[in-house]
Amino acid sequence: MATTPLEVSLENLGGKYRRTAGAALAVLLVLALGYFAAFEIRMITLPGAQEDREAAITLTTNLILEGGQPYTLATSPAVTNVYGIVYNYVVLPAAKLWGATFAVHRAASMVFLLAGASLLYWALRRMGTGRGLAFAGAAFYYLFNVCTYAIVARPDTLGDLIYLAVVFLVTPWPGKAFPSPARLILSAALGVLAFYTKPYFLMSLGLATAVLFVTTGWKRAAAYAVLAGALLVASLPLVNHIWPYYLFSIVTSHRFSEIDVPGYFWLQFKDFLELHAGLLLIVAAVGGIWLRHAIHASRRARCSRCRSAGIP
């Protein structure tokens, strides 16, 4: 069988050099991990707010810690935030032990980021991706987040974690054509929870529906969308009863903000494209490859079932 010069060179590379290269890579990895660990500790322990939203998030947690109720007439707008409530309640156990400080919230965000990277690595491996590429994907996810809003008192990394879970739960694993009903129900429920973590993460349900449509057909995708929509609608009265001003603060109040000015929106969109052009190209390429693989896998599974049933 023909081989390329690169393959010949790799084949001739002795065990000694391979061990040396492996050791060098291990040293670089340890140095990188040490650097990012120091960076994370520094970010977590900074005494002041790193952005204007951090104070609002910590005040909301502190209000709950003291027995108060956020998103009510008595506490709004003095203590409120426009993101969601799930993050505050998830951080609450740690806040009870060490206080509703910036450091506690940032450390929790860091834990959610690492959990998201671990989940991504596990899912990629479950899909048949090699260890190297799976690790690269998890590292890319980690680096992208850690350089933006990851290590601050915000719900983004928790929302990302739930977002990934929503999508992976409906993704057919190799050898299994369709996700089980339990996985679909859990995914839909987590998608609603993602909405109450941060409204943007409601998009996870849209992506999950698209994955189902491509891999299993429109019927399951439609059923999933109806289920998720029903769960979301059913949750609204309960949320409104517990936190009367929640939906106004999280959803309705945005119509009074500058984000609804078309010029400002397009400016943000333009900045996003400029800052993340390379990332978007990589995501598009990887997404295209994954979509092609998913379609072929789905077709093979259907053909296998047809042959098993004696259908030509």
Side-chain angles (χ1 to χ4, degrees):
M1 185 171 59
T3 56
T4 65
L6 177 59
E7 289 172 329
V8 172
S9 299
L10 291 174
E11 186 65 27
N12 293 333
L13 189 63
K16 176 182 177 181
Y17 296 102
R18 290 183 182 179
R19 288 192 295 271
T20 302
L25 184 61
V27 170
L28 289 175
L29 181 60
V30 170
L31 290 175
L33 291 175
Y35 170 81
F36 283 110
F39 175 78
E40 292 157 7
I41 292 171
R42 175 60 177 161
M43 284 294 298
I44 290 171
T45 56
L46 285 172
Q50 298 306 298
E51 61 156 7
D52 56 343
R53 302 166 187 84
E54 279 201 305
I57 296 291
T58 54
L59 284 174
T60 303
T61 304
N62 190 65
L63 176 65
I64 300 171
L65 195 61
E66 294 176 347
Q69 187 79 326
Y71 303 107
T72 62
L73 182 62
T75 58
S76 298
V79 180
T80 190
N81 72 79
V82 296
Y83 280 142
I85 197 65
V86 173
Y87 176 77
N88 302 97
Y89 278 100
V90 172
V91 175
L92 192 61
K96 288 181 178 179
L97 294 175
W98 299 293
T101 63
F102 290 135
V104 166
H105 287 78
R106 292 169 187 163
S109 296
M110 192 69 244
V111 170
F112 301 142
L113 173 58
L114 294 174
S118 300
L119 175 60
L120 180 58
Y121 176 83
W122 174 84
L124 290 173
R125 291 288 295 142
R126 187 71 173 78
M127 294 176 190
T129 307
R131 289 188 181 88
L133 287 177
F135 179 80
F140 189 82
Y141 170 88
Y142 168 83
L143 290 173
F144 175 77
N145 280 280
V146 83
C147 294
T148 52
Y149 292 113
I151 316 178
V152 290
R154 282 174 53 139
D156 298 71
T157 54
L158 176 59
D160 281 336
L161 175 60
I162 300 174
Y163 191 113
L164 290 173
V166 169
V167 176
F168 290 148
L169 280 168
V170 303
T171 303
W173 302 123
K176 295 184 178 180
F178 305 118
S180 66
R183 280 173 56 183
L184 296 181
I185 294 171
L186 179 59
S187 173
L190 286 176
V192 175
L193 190 68
F195 170 72
Y196 292 115
T197 304
K198 188 176 180 181
Y200 300 153
F201 292 111
L202 184 66
M203 293 187 294
S204 62
L205 293 173
L207 181 56
T209 302
V211 170
L212 283 171
F213 177 78
V214 170
T215 58
T216 66
W218 70 269
K219 291 183 179 180
R220 279 183 174 80
Y224 176 83
V226 170
L227 171 64
L231 291 176
L232 178 62
V233 172
S235 70
L236 296 177
L238 177 62
V239 169
N240 191 61
H241 174 73
I242 299 173
W243 303 289
Y245 283 80
Y246 181 86
L247 295 176
F248 172 79
S249 300
I250 302 301
V251 181
T252 315
S253 65
H254 289 287
R255 65 193 176 102
F256 302 111
S257 72
E258 60 182 354
I259 196 63
D260 286 325
V261 177
Y264 185 78
F265 170 80
W266 288 113
L267 178 63
Q268 283 194 320
F269 186 65
K270 178 175 175 292
D271 288 343
F272 174 81
L273 293 179
E274 290 178 354
L275 289 171
H276 305 299
L279 172 64
L280 292 173
L281 289 174
I282 294 173
V283 169
V286 173
I289 295 171
W290 175 85
L291 184 61
R292 182 172 177 271
H293 173 76
I295 292 174
H296 287 175
S298 179
R299 288 174 178 172
R300 286 195 299 269
R302 290 175 183 174
C303 290
S304 177
R305 288 196 306 275
C306 289
R307 286 193 296 270
S308 300
I311 301 173

